Amino acid sequence: MLDIPSDHFSVTAVLLKKISQHRWARHSWSLLGVIPGLSETQLSNAQNEGELHYYPDLHLRLFRHYCDSYYQNLMSEQAKIYFIGRLENDLFTPVLLTVDFDEAASYMEAGDQVMEAALPDELCVWLERFLIYHYAPEAPKKRRRERWKDNDGGAR
């Protein structure tokens, strides 16, 4: 029997702040990735491009009722992690860290800033363990065609 996998994982998000080429914005922000996952080489190379901002002890939480969305993310060409934040006084305040695209999209629709990065291998394994334990995809159902001839007594 499998051990019950953890539903949370603490990470450090790393955002890259660069001088913007856009005339109406002084800076542009992007999610470089999360630790664990980023190497020292990646961090030092990014430091040459701009300013790194670390957001430690962010909790990535999984919920059983979102397993279908997690599965779709994990099966995509490149699994992603999403950082949702609000820009206040030229700094980001983290709101949420998730691997659920649908949840990230709902925040985006509400006007929050959503940034994405590749989901590190260590987190892919953690997510996979959670899915193996909690998720059973629904079996495909065959649709039955409606018999419209029988409904009104004849062809139209």
Side-chain angles (χ1 to χ4, degrees), residues 67-79:
C67 280
D68 193 47
S69 185
Y70 303 150
Y71 178 78
Q72 296 301 325
N73 186 6
L74 200 56
M75 293 293 102
S76 67
E77 188 173 322
Q78 174 62 64

Side-chain angles (χ1 to χ4, degrees), residues 76-130:
S76 67
E77 188 173 322
Q78 174 62 64
K80 304 259 188 222
I81 188 165
Y82 303 94
F83 176 92
I84 294 100
R86 294 187 180 116
L87 191 58
E88 299 169 350
N89 300 324
D90 208 29
L91 286 176
F92 266 98
T93 302
V95 173
L96 179 70
L97 195 64
T98 185
V99 290
D100 182 351
F101 172 78
D102 297 326
E103 187 173 31
S106 67
Y107 276 91
M108 192 181 315
E109 288 172 0
D112 290 313
Q113 181 77 30
V114 177
M115 294 176 255
E116 66 181 42
L119 188 64
D121 291 342
E122 186 173 342
L123 292 177
C124 284
V125 170
W126 167 71
L127 181 57
E128 181 181 41
R129 284 193 70 230
F130 185 87

Side-chain angles (χ1 to χ4, degrees), residues 2 5 13 29 38 40 45-46 48 50 56 64 81 90 102 107 115 129 132 135 138 143 153:
L2 290 173
W29 291 81
L38 290 171
E40 289 296 324
N45 288 344
N48 297 333
R64 292 175 61 180
I81 188 165
D90 208 29
D102 297 326
Y107 276 91
M115 294 176 255
R129 284 193 70 230
I132 288 171
Y135 182 60
E138 286 186 31
R143 289 187 331 178

Side-chain angles (χ1 to χ4, degrees), residues 3 6 10 12-13 20-23 25 37-38 45 48 53-54 57 87 96 102 106 110 127 131 142 145 153:
D3 292 336
S6 174
S10 290
T12 297
S20 177
Q21 302 301 317
H22 197 276
R23 67 174 140 178
L38 290 171
N45 288 344
N48 297 333
H53 290 261
Y54 294 86
D57 297 325
L87 191 58
L96 179 70
D102 297 326
S106 67
L127 181 57
L131 287 171
K142 188 172 182 178
R145 294 172 81 187

